[in-house]
Amino acid sequence: QSGKEETPPPGGTDGKVKIYYMQKQGTQDYFLGEAKGAKDKAAALGIELVMVDLGNDTSKTLDAINTAAAQKANGIIIVVPDPSVGPAVVQAAKDKGIHLLTTDDQICVDKPKPADCSPDKIVPRIGFSGTQMGTEVGKKAAELYKAAGWSPAETAIIAAWKQDVTVCTDRVKAALPAFKAAGGPDLKLIEVGTDNTPPDAQTKVAATVTANRAVKNWIVWGCNDENVTGGVTALENAGYKVENIIGVGINGDLACKAWSAGKATGTKASLWLAGHEVGSLAVQSMYDKIKNNKDFEREAYAKTTMVTPDSYKAAGLTC
Amino acid sequence: MNRVQNLSLIGALAGVLAVFGILNDQYLSLSNLAVIGQAVTIAGLLAVVQTAVIICGGIDISVGSQAGLAAVVSSMVFAWTGDGLANGNAFAAIGVAIVVGAAGGVVNGVIIVYGRVNAIIATLAMLAAYKGIAQLISGGRAQGYLLTNDLFIFIARGSVLGVPAMIWILGIVALLVHLLLKTTDIGRNMYAIGGNAVAARLAGININKYIISVYMLVGAVAALAGIILAARSTAGHPTAGSEGLELKAITAAFLGGCAIAGGKGSIGGTLLAVTLLGALEIGLTVVGVNPFWQNVAQGALLVVAVVIQQRRTGDRAVGLPG
Amino acid sequence: MNRVQNLSLIGALAGVLAVFGILNDQYLSLSNLAVIGQAVTIAGLLAVVQTAVIICGGIDISVGSQAGLAAVVSSMVFAWTGDGLANGNAFAAIGVAIVVGAAGGVVNGVIIVYGRVNAIIATLAMLAAYKGIAQLISGGRAQGYLLTNDLFIFIARGSVLGVPAMIWILGIVALLVHLLLKTTDIGRNMYAIGGNAVAARLAGININKYIISVYMLVGAVAALAGIILAARSTAGHPTAGSEGLELKAITAAFLGGCAIAGGKGSIGGTLLAVTLLGALEIGLTVVGVNPFWQNVAQGALLVVAVVIQQRRTGDRAVGLPG
Amino acid sequence: MLGVAHLSKRFDPVQALDDVTLDFPGGTVTALLGENGAGKSTLVRIIDGEHLPDTGQVLLDGQPVGLHSPRDARRHGIRVIPQEPEIVPHVSVAENVYIGALSKGFLFHGASLRKRVEQHIARLGFERMLRPDTLGRDLTPAQRQLVEILRALTTPAKVIAFDEPTSSLSEHEVTALFTLIRRLRDEGLAIIYVSHRLAEIFQIADRIAVLRDGKVAGVVAAQETTERAVVSMMVGRDLTTMFARDHVATTEPVLEVDEVNGISLTVHAGEVVALAGLVGAGRSEFCRALAGDLPIRGGSIKVDGQPVTIKHPWHAIRAGIVYAPEERKAQALLLGRPVRDNIVLAVLNRLRRWRFVRRRDESELARHFVNRLNVRTPTVGQLVSKLSGGNQQKVVLARWLARQPRLLILDEPTRGIDVGAKAEIYQIIAGLARDGMGILVVSSELPEVLGLADRIAVMKDGRVTGVLGRAEASEEAILSLAMGES
Ligand SMILES: Nc1ncnc2c1ncn2[C@@H]1O[C@H](COP(=O)(O)OP(=O)(O)OP(=O)(O)O)[C@@H](O)[C@H]1O
Ligand SMILES: Nc1ncnc2c1ncn2[C@@H]1O[C@H](COP(=O)(O)OP(=O)(O)OP(=O)(O)O)[C@@H](O)[C@H]1O
Ligand SMILES: [Mg+2]
Ligand SMILES: [Mg+2]
């Protein structure tokens, strides 16, 4: 076979619902929450759910879809390791006649970059995109910056992320325009490449500070709390006071620890993503599709909250 | 010895298939076996050439990066020869990627032979370097879109006689390398070089040429693996091969009976080992084992498999095994 | 030979310091030198014990996972003995983590010695297994919050006589291992075991005991590294040590003069090598080199350093270097 | 036919060859003699293209040939059997023999190769010693040497250089080898033959060239000289006695072995017992069992009348049994370490305070043994790999003497060692016996066995087939027990 043959669309079900949920970086806190939400919902609905961790391996994605097909799964929910694998995922699911829903990251039916995709070709999705997250971060940073009353000449921004992870890049790149749109001035921006772990972020930011001793106040954002915590810690170690640091994280998992412990920290806010709800909603939507043939919504958003040391408890973030 | 090794691998594989076959009624279905086959293709290609280089007394840790580089290069050439994203010339894309891979292999070989650098250090260094080059030329982003092309679609999804194209590629490469090793003077000389480099040199074998050639072979096949990676994932991503592929390939080679000092190993053993690892991985996923347990299980089973293998040969437990 | 090696490392280090010192006037400032020192501490600790185990003819690829496991264990013990998140007993946390680390090392050693499993395969397998265990017990989540405790704060940020506490820890461990290797009969026997295991056995050395003990030492020190990692990142994350730390440690050991076959190497050389790698990494970051270039530069410089080293010794370029 | 002109080669600080000019005519066996370190192997390696000379050249039929690698030497029809056999461990003997000489292309065929090698083995009369399917790593040192010899026969050659081909062979194989060498000579080949066994030289050589300290000390026709004259040419002085026999064996048993692995044997204080036998007779195996390195099956062992259990080499050492193995480099020496570390390896536990090795005592002890055994080394800090074979052997001896053992087991103690060093080692052995030590020597060289031993136990197929006293011992008696023709 040349690989281009079409298979008939999905048939009815024998009543048994089997869903595969595939996640990139399944060992990260956010995705663990999402997995938990999915499992709880699946248990409540009494359906079979198989979780698969794809790591960052695009090739494993296709293996996992093939496995799901061989296992006669009815539906696949997926967070792709990289959006470029999207068309292959769509094609594979179509070949095998399996319903496809994505969470968190968008994929396109026929383009490797969702940004180039015509809206009707975007696969139905639940969650919050990297660009949306970055926008929230930029907005919050601008708000905190204005409240701090720093002079633009003495302030710089550190953006720390693993530069070959596309969704991280999307988040970070969206933050700056949002910062400016929310009234932030033109500040010196220093991009720092890390491997997305706190120790590495700390090392790299420490070195960056060396080269920028003149800066008095720092804004730190990045791909996630790991980068921001590492960066903020490096600044604190280098002698900067917490008042001179504005760290805005994503996910809240590490920020919340420092806040709970009652320590003053330069991490002033973090965008809490309720992974649990995304997972739960995704499983419910897939169930409705399989059982009742109810169409997916094109875009369903889950709740995200920008939390601060004062608000995180009320928002329901625990750690 | 080698037979014992292969027999215990077959035993372990049969055990894995049986256990998961009982736990899941779809596991032994033809379509799932094809999935296992596809899942092991990339690691299998790298393990096959890794076996060849380990037999020569070397090792290549940079294979994963080389595959990633080839993934990017092939997609970029495809994009350039086309409309900037897709619809390019697949043969040019594949050809350039394989030439770049072979050239990378030669660089590895030259560093090792003429630079007198230990193969582990040299290829560790090149692991970083090739990854960096792939990231640089691609800007860290996925490149091109390959699924507009029939050839790439065939590589990614086609099949012949019901067997997926990827598995055919692995089978053909493995067969060729097997024949090279077992039936040609070149292969026998490779065993001699790895077994005792001084003996080989005194026998008039041009060791340098062999070492550089085998690294070139590794580079070319790693590039082939990278092209398949790109075709499967529709686009070439610079970190495509970096998720521990080299460790998988090396693990399979050793598990399949290669000796770290060289001069020992077979393609059959390596393929068995890589299939065992793949069957295990898919099995654990199918049964829905939590990924954390999968790590523990894979590590533990690898140890158990090798221990059983070793017990069979009845070595004494003194010092470090060779 | 060893002296030549160390001299060329010192030369390379001086070169790196000079180049970056010229490019950036803050690079040679005391505070930046402290940053370099801190950046190399974790890899340095692992490299020091890696040197010990390579001298014995072994290798330990699982050090990164072991560090990650210790990071999780120490933070969890700290959380349990406290209020569930923080404010626990730091001594209990550190003690339990080190005991767990040492036990893990013993498991590695036993698998290698009594299971007759090649050290590379055994520790590769345990790399996956320890990572899985760390993820399992932590549920994959970062654990505890250590910076409520003075001891952990001291480890992470404290300094004595202007030198960061972390660097003191590395210095003390390195000195102890150095003394062990160079001045005790234990160290002598380790060199003997790695240099010629048969001769060592015939000389009455209990090789098994030595191998298991050295892996135990590796486990304990890797645990120490993990505790420092946890303290630095404020919480213990199960994958804390897995980002290529083992490769860094092994690279440093080989670059510092260890031989893959064992019996050769020194702590001084390893520390120089690890410092060289750290100075380079920080230098590239300070100068603002894009991380993709950093990969290329690090790989290339590693090759160049080793090639120069080898050229000095004047080996002929035939076959694989030892 | 083959000649070398003005060859010099320096390995700092040693001038291994110093302006050597020699010729090796076709149809002649030229023996190359000299003490350890005289430069014989260096000369042979230059002819093999393995070393490049600093100055001078190699001439073939009067024409200079550029030899840059062993490959070039092969192309010019030069074959060398190196001093240390180089064996590929994981392939068969057959492939080891044909290494580098397989026909090109997809022609490799195991069975036919095996048959060809079997024929070669039969032609040389080595059938009992060597099978074509055995894996390289399972070969004993003697078998390794046979493989090296067989290699030289696979490709047509004009010149063959044998660098100590018989150092681990016993009488029977030596005879077969000599038949072969004579045939090759009669076919017109130039043969270079290096050996430390003088008796052999006079059996096989037509001409004798002697090297001393890297220079040619003389070239003589074999018929026109005597052993004594050659030896004095080699060492630069007269060597009066090889074997010093002033020790007297007592009746006090040091070692009593009763049915251990089917062998019973007693060694008395002050006695030298030799174990003789053909290649693979099981002598080394028995000794390694006594040393705790191989499992002991059944029987009992007593040292000085006290029963001992030996499960690990450490048990043997503690009981006073020490073993110097037959393969110096592979089994005894730490090649990357200095002489000092090699000597003190087995006595570190006596040289330490707390766990710190006392540097001064260590060096003193090493120096003491270097002086006592006359080890030629600039300092005790010299890397042991830089010493010549004889001196390396003395370092191994020193290691064990430092333990002051009751029973010293020496497996092929003079393998590849020159006459001068040999005489010294014999004297050391005699001196140790005089001091009351029991000594068990494994040797494949009959004159050595006869000259050294008070009693000779002859082994065949893992059994002792007879014990000969001094009076009844002769080469014929030993050989007939060893070959089982009694
Ligand atoms: N690769 C080398 N590196 C350094 N020194 C060497 C090397 N090879 C030989 N030598 C030295 O050169 C000298 C001559 O050595 P060579 O091996 O030629 O002696 P030989 O006559 O063959 O001795 P033997 O009878 O012990 O084999 C010795 O002092 C030896 O230590
Ligand atoms: N490592 C080994 N593996 C397999 N067989 C072995 C091994 N070592 C020895 N043997 C076999 O055991 C038998 C006895 O060998 P041993 O070395 O004791 O003989 P030997 O009398 O010392 O002869 P040699 O002159 O060869 O040293 C031989 O048949 C030999 O092939
Ligand atoms: Mg010699
Ligand atoms: Mg023997």
Side-chain angles (χ1 to χ4, degrees):
Chain A
Q1 288 171 347
S2 69
K4 290 186 288 181
E5 293 75 7
E6 297 277 336
T7 10
T13 66
D14 56 355
K16 238 184 90 191
V17 176
K18 186 169 188 176
I19 298 175
Y20 267 65
Y21 201 143
M22 303 168 187
Q23 295 174 300
K24 71 174 178 189
Q25 298 159 24
T27 55
Q28 278 190 357
D29 191 74
Y30 168 77
F31 291 108
L32 288 166
E34 190 177 79
K36 176 118 197 333
K39 279 183 209 150
D40 291 350
K41 176 58 83 178
L45 294 171
I47 58 177
E48 191 182 345
L49 176 76
V50 179
M51 298 299 303
V52 181
D53 176 18
L54 303 174
N56 285 316
D57 193 341
T58 46
S59 179
K60 201 170 169 187
T61 313
L62 280 303
D63 292 331
I65 291 176
N66 290 341
T67 306
Q71 293 293 321
K72 309 222 179 310
N74 316 87
I76 291 173
I77 308 169
I78 191 166
V79 194
V80 289
D82 190 279
S84 66
V85 79
V89 168
V90 175
Q91 183 72 39
K94 201 165 116 203
D95 283 352
K96 315 286 185 192
I98 305 175
H99 299 295
L100 181 69
L101 176 66
T102 63
T103 58
D104 306 289
D105 298 329
Q106 290 178 319
I107 60 176
C108 180
V109 171
D110 57 1
K111 293 264 163 54
K113 285 185 193 152
D116 304 341
C117 196
S118 67
D120 59 315
K121 292 285 176 92
I122 296 268
V123 176
R125 176 187 71 131
I126 293 170
F128 214 59
S129 76
T131 308
Q132 289 163 318
M133 290 179 205
T135 306
E136 293 295 317
V137 168
K139 249 194 315 199
K140 186 70 184 177
E143 179 194 324
L144 291 169
Y145 169 82
K146 283 186 283 186
W150 295 339
S151 121
E154 293 179 335
T155 307
I157 302 171
I158 286 178
W161 82 106
K162 189 170 182 182
Q163 303 189 341
D164 55 10
V165 176
T166 311
V167 292
C168 276
T169 310
D170 291 346
R171 292 180 193 182
V172 172
K173 296 284 180 197
L176 191 62
F179 180 78
K180 289 186 186 155
D186 260 331
L187 294 180
K188 178 173 181 182
L189 175 78
I190 303 168
E191 301 193 332
V192 179
T194 72
D195 61 16
N196 277 357
T197 65
D200 194 56
Q202 195 174 335
T203 302
K204 297 288 163 61
V205 170
T208 305
V209 169
T210 296
N212 296 282
R213 275 280 159 202
V215 177
K216 294 246 174 356
N217 309 299
W218 290 97
I219 296 171
V220 185
W221 63 56
C223 181
N224 50 24
D225 262 21
E226 276 84 350
N227 281 292
V228 174
T229 309
V232 166
T233 310
L235 291 169
E236 289 174 10
N237 288 354
Y240 287 94
K241 300 221 165 55
V242 295
E243 300 84 45
N244 297 98
I245 306 168
I246 295 173
V248 183
I250 293 176
N251 197 32
D253 56 327
L254 291 182
C256 131
K257 283 175 187 293
W259 298 338
S260 302
K263 289 280 284 189
T265 165
T267 308
K268 300 286 165 59
S270 187
L271 182 68
W272 177 37
L273 313 168
H276 191 272
E277 289 179 32
V278 174
S280 179
L281 183 55
V283 169
Q284 182 68 52
S285 308
M286 183 56 83
Y287 179 81
D288 290 345
K289 173 80 183 174
I290 294 166
K291 266 300 200 209
N292 314 324
N293 205 19
K294 182 172 164 232
D295 275 343
F296 296 124
E297 286 187 52
R298 292 234 68 84
E299 286 266 335
Y301 296 111
K303 197 178 72 182
T304 57
T305 324
M306 184 57 78
V307 291
T308 63
D310 305 321
S311 73
Y312 77 98
K313 274 194 190 127
L317 173 58
T318 52
C319 45
Chain B
M1 168 67 215
N2 225 321
R3 195 140 305 162
V4 171
Q5 188 121 13
N6 285 352
L7 277 179
S8 47
L9 281 173
I10 291 173
L13 183 57
V16 166
L17 292 176
V19 167
F20 289 112
I22 292 167
L23 291 176
N24 181 298
D25 56 351
Q26 295 298 322
Y27 183 73
L28 292 178
S29 66
L30 274 181
S31 59
N32 196 57
L33 292 180
V35 169
I36 293 176
Q38 281 175 286
V40 304
T41 298
I42 306 290
L45 282 171
L46 298 181
V48 162
V49 282
Q50 194 68 253
T51 304
V53 69
I54 292 176
I55 283 173
C56 288
I59 197 161
D60 193 341
I61 304 183
S62 71
V63 283
S65 297
Q66 290 195 62
L69 179 58
V72 170
V73 168
S74 59
S75 332
M76 289 179 80
V77 171
F78 186 67
W80 284 335
T81 54
D83 53 16
L85 173 70
N87 298 315
N89 185 330
F91 292 103
I94 292 175
V96 172
I98 288 183
V99 168
V100 169
V106 170
V107 170
N108 283 348
V110 167
I111 291 171
I112 290 166
V113 170
Y114 294 106
R116 314 291 309 138
V117 182
N118 175 295
I120 297 183
I121 304 198
T123 54
L124 255 176
M126 296 315 283
L127 173 79
Y130 292 132
K131 187 169 153 190
I133 293 173
Q135 291 169 323
L136 269 177
I137 62 174
S138 69
R141 293 183 168 263
Q143 295 294 321
Y145 179 68
L146 301 181
L147 290 193
T148 58
N149 180 284
D150 290 353
L151 180 57
F152 285 127
I153 293 177
F154 175 71
I155 292 175
R157 291 204 290 264
S159 63
V160 176
L161 304 176
V163 175
M166 286 172 62
I167 300 180
W168 279 104
I169 296 177
L170 171 62
I172 290 167
V173 170
L175 183 67
L176 289 179
V177 177
H178 173 81
L179 289 177
L180 177 80
L181 284 173
K182 295 289 172 176
T183 66
T184 70
D185 62 316
I186 297 175
R188 303 320 296 172
N189 287 346
M190 286 165 67
Y191 278 97
I193 290 169
N196 185 336
V198 178
R201 189 177 66 228
L202 291 179
I205 297 172
N206 189 340
I207 301 187
N208 292 359
K209 195 178 79 183
Y210 272 82
I211 305 273
I212 293 175
S213 307
V214 75
Y215 275 99
M216 187 172 87
L217 174 73
V218 174
V221 173
L224 184 62
I227 293 165
I228 299 178
L229 269 175
R232 285 201 88 194
S233 35
T234 74
H237 199 277
T239 57
S242 61
E243 281 286 314
L245 261 184
E246 54 280 336
L247 288 191
K248 237 186 219 168
I250 293 170
T251 304
F254 284 132
L255 191 57
C258 285
I260 174 82
K264 224 178 123 217
S266 70
I267 298 301
T270 299
L271 283 184
L272 274 173
V274 88
T275 311
L276 175 63
L277 296 175
L280 192 59
E281 190 175 341
I282 299 286
L284 290 169
T285 307
V286 160
V287 178
V289 172
N290 155 337
F292 305 157
W293 271 114
Q294 293 194 17
N295 275 331
V296 179
Q298 285 189 11
L301 282 167
L302 179 52
V303 166
V304 169
V306 180
V307 168
I308 291 173
Q309 214 160 277
Q310 294 291 337
R311 285 282 130 189
R312 283 272 190 99
T313 69
D315 278 350
R316 270 201 301 166
V318 177
L320 292 161
Chain C
M1 168 67 217
N2 224 321
R3 196 139 307 160
V4 172
Q5 188 122 14
N6 286 352
L7 277 181
S8 48
L9 282 174
I10 291 173
L13 183 57
V16 166
L17 292 177
V19 167
F20 289 111
I22 291 166
L23 291 175
N24 183 297
D25 56 352
Q26 290 300 316
Y27 183 72
L28 292 177
S29 67
L30 275 181
S31 63
N32 195 56
L33 293 180
V35 167
I36 295 177
Q38 282 176 292
V40 303
T41 299
I42 307 290
L45 281 171
L46 298 180
V48 161
V49 282
Q50 195 68 253
T51 304
V53 70
I54 292 176
I55 283 173
C56 288
I59 198 161
D60 193 341
I61 304 182
S62 71
V63 284
S65 296
Q66 290 194 63
L69 180 57
V72 169
V73 168
S74 59
S75 332
M76 290 179 79
V77 171
F78 185 68
W80 284 335
T81 52
D83 53 16
L85 173 71
N87 299 314
N89 185 330
F91 292 104
I94 293 175
V96 172
I98 288 184
V99 168
V100 169
V106 169
V107 170
N108 282 349
V110 166
I111 291 171
I112 290 166
V113 170
Y114 294 107
R116 312 294 308 136
V117 182
N118 176 295
I120 297 183
I121 303 198
T123 54
L124 254 175
M126 298 314 283
L127 174 79
Y130 292 130
K131 186 169 154 188
I133 293 173
Q135 290 169 323
L136 270 176
I137 61 173
S138 67
R141 289 164 182 263
Q143 295 292 319
Y145 181 75
L146 303 182
L147 292 194
T148 59
N149 181 284
D150 289 349
L151 181 56
F152 285 125
I153 294 176
F154 175 71
I155 292 175
R157 306 196 179 146
S159 64
V160 176
L161 304 175
V163 175
M166 287 171 62
I167 300 179
W168 279 105
I169 296 177
L170 171 61
I172 291 167
V173 170
L175 183 67
L176 289 178
V177 176
H178 174 80
L179 289 177
L180 178 80
L181 284 172
K182 294 290 172 176
T183 65
T184 69
D185 61 324
I186 299 173
R188 285 305 183 67
N189 288 344
M190 286 164 67
Y191 277 102
I193 290 169
N196 188 336
V198 179
R201 188 175 71 227
L202 287 175
I205 299 172
N206 190 340
I207 300 186
N208 292 358
K209 197 178 77 184
Y210 271 83
I211 304 270
I212 293 174
S213 307
V214 75
Y215 275 98
M216 186 171 89
L217 174 72
V218 174
V221 174
L224 185 60
I227 294 165
I228 299 177
L229 266 176
R232 284 200 91 193
S233 23
T234 72
H237 201 279
T239 53
S242 58
E243 283 285 319
L245 260 186
E246 54 281 336
L247 289 190
K248 240 187 217 167
I250 292 170
T251 304
F254 284 132
L255 190 58
C258 285
I260 175 82
K264 232 177 118 220
S266 70
I267 298 301
T270 299
L271 283 185
L272 274 173
V274 89
T275 310
L276 175 63
L277 295 174
L280 192 59
E281 189 177 344
I282 298 292
L284 290 168
T285 307
V286 163
V287 179
V289 173
N290 155 335
F292 304 156
W293 270 114
Q294 292 196 18
N295 275 331
V296 179
Q298 285 189 10
L301 282 168
L302 179 51
V303 167
V304 170
V306 181
V307 168
I308 291 173
Q309 215 159 276
Q310 295 290 338
R311 284 283 129 185
R312 284 271 189 100
T313 68
D315 279 351
R316 266 206 299 169
V318 177
L320 290 163
Chain D
M1 162 181 243
L2 181 82
V4 296
H6 307 293
L7 281 188
S8 293
K9 177 77 183 171
R10 189 174 178 81
F11 297 107
D12 271 319
V14 183
Q15 187 71 40
L17 289 179
D18 190 358
D19 195 29
V20 170
T21 302
L22 279 173
D23 64 330
F24 304 98
T28 315
V29 178
T30 308
L32 200 53
L33 297 190
E35 283 187 287
N36 287 128
K40 307 178 294 293
S41 298
T42 305
L43 178 59
V44 168
R45 286 198 198 108
I46 288 175
I47 291 173
D48 197 23
E50 171 76 344
H51 282 328
L52 299 176
D54 298 336
T55 61
Q57 48 198 188
V58 179
L59 309 161
L60 204 53
D61 297 324
Q63 296 303 313
V65 280
L67 298 174
H68 299 286
S69 72
R71 217 176 145 64
D72 297 335
R74 296 290 160 278
R75 247 200 321 266
H76 286 103
I78 300 169
R79 280 281 346 185
V80 165
I81 286 113
Q83 182 166 2
E84 301 285 338
E86 294 291 351
I87 299 297
V88 184
H90 302 292
V91 306
S92 67
V93 163
E95 268 196 66
N96 257 296
V97 168
Y98 271 89
I99 177 176
L102 293 168
S103 40
K104 296 259 176 290
F106 282 88
L107 293 174
F108 176 73
H109 191 252
S112 71
L113 190 70
R114 185 185 177 287
K115 190 163 261 152
R116 258 187 295 166
V117 170
E118 202 159 36
Q119 280 162 4
H120 279 306
I121 292 176
R123 192 150 64 92
L124 293 179
F126 293 160
E127 301 97 318
R128 292 177 22 165
M129 276 77 69
L130 198 60
R131 310 234 28 92
D133 316 299
T134 317
L135 286 187
R137 55 158 197 196
D138 293 333
L139 298 177
T140 62
Q143 291 171 318
R144 286 161 185 257
Q145 235 159 13
L146 295 183
V147 169
E148 276 287 2
I149 291 167
L150 283 164
R151 276 180 188 162
L153 304 179
T154 54
T155 44
K158 289 191 258 177
V159 180
I160 303 185
F162 294 88
D163 196 352
E164 301 194 40
T166 57
S167 62
S168 28
L169 298 187
S170 50
E171 220 57 42
H172 177 76
E173 298 85 46
V174 174
T175 313
L177 175 65
F178 283 1
T179 314
L180 167 77
I181 291 181
R182 288 195 190 98
R183 210 180 58 225
L184 294 171
R185 175 192 63 194
D186 296 342
E187 288 169 11
L189 273 70
I191 310 279
I192 303 171
Y193 190 90
V194 182
S195 178
H196 288 298
R197 297 183 176 180
L198 288 178
E200 267 175 31
I201 298 292
F202 283 92
Q203 281 175 44
I204 191 75
D206 304 310
R207 295 162 73 233
I208 297 176
V210 178
L211 290 180
R212 189 163 78 227
D213 296 334
K215 297 192 188 66
V216 180
V219 183
V220 289
Q223 277 97 358
E224 292 160 16
T225 187
T226 62
E227 210 168 290
R228 211 189 165 98
V230 170
V231 167
S232 74
M233 222 193 290
M234 280 166 63
V235 298
R237 68 193 143 91
D238 263 336
L239 211 60
T240 42
T241 47
M242 279 297 275
F243 298 104
R245 294 204 45 89
D246 49 2
H247 64 274
V248 190
T250 65
T251 53
E252 190 187 314
V254 172
L255 174 78
E256 294 161 88
V257 179
D258 189 24
E259 280 298 314
V260 166
N261 301 354
I263 293 171
S264 299
L265 189 72
T266 305
V267 180
H268 300 96
E271 185 182 37
V272 180
V273 175
L275 277 180
L278 299 183
V279 167
R283 297 163 297 172
S284 302
E285 228 168 328
F286 171 64
C287 293
R288 283 175 59 195
L290 278 186
D293 197 37
L294 287 178
I296 287 181
R297 283 169 269 110
S300 69
I301 300 173
K302 284 187 197 164
V303 175
D304 285 334
Q306 301 295 318
V308 292
T309 317
I310 297 175
K311 292 210 172 94
H312 184 274
W314 172 239
H315 299 149
I317 293 167
R318 207 173 35 192
I321 301 176
V322 302
Y323 171 63
E326 62 187 319
E327 289 180 84
R328 271 194 302 275
K329 286 192 178 162
Q331 301 176 328
L333 292 171
L334 310 175
L335 288 169
R337 310 297 300 170
V339 169
R340 177 186 51 233
D341 290 21
N342 272 280
I343 292 179
V344 301
L345 182 64
V347 290
L348 279 172
N349 58 343
R350 295 181 186 164
L351 287 174
R352 68 189 185 196
R353 184 184 295 126
W354 297 94
R355 300 223 60 132
F356 295 104
V357 180
R358 285 171 300 181
R359 277 297 168 92
R360 193 161 340 133
D361 296 3
E362 184 192 23
S363 295
E364 210 164 90
L365 182 84
R367 250 179 260 122
H368 168 78
F369 279 101
V370 162
N371 292 336
R372 175 166 160 203
L373 302 186
N374 197 17
V375 180
R376 265 162 235 127
T377 173
T379 68
V380 294
Q382 174 82 331
L383 282 187
V384 82
S385 57
K386 300 242 152 116
L387 302 191
S388 74
N391 287 308
Q392 289 180 343
Q393 183 65 28
K394 288 187 202 162
V395 169
V396 176
L397 267 178
R399 174 187 301 166
W400 293 120
L401 295 186
R403 282 238 41 123
Q404 301 166 311
R406 292 299 298 139
L407 178 80
L408 175 63
I409 305 175
L410 299 170
D411 200 346
E412 309 282 2
T414 62
R415 199 183 132 209
I417 284 179
D418 70 52
V419 268
K422 249 184 203 169
E424 285 181 68
I425 284 178
Y426 295 151
Q427 268 153 26
I428 293 167
I429 292 174
L432 294 172
R434 203 162 50 226
D435 296 344
M437 200 180 286
I439 292 165
L440 186 61
V441 180
V442 177
S443 173
S444 299
E445 227 186 307
L446 288 183
E448 178 170 300
V449 167
L450 290 168
L452 265 180
D454 298 303
R455 279 186 305 135
I456 299 165
V458 186
M459 288 186 64
K460 177 177 183 291
D461 298 337
R463 305 266 149 189
V464 173
T465 47
V467 180
L468 303 167
R470 261 195 94 67
E472 37 192 352
S474 67
E475 297 205 6
E476 294 72 32
I478 294 174
L479 275 179
S480 78
L481 282 171
M483 322 233 315
E485 288 156 12
S486 49

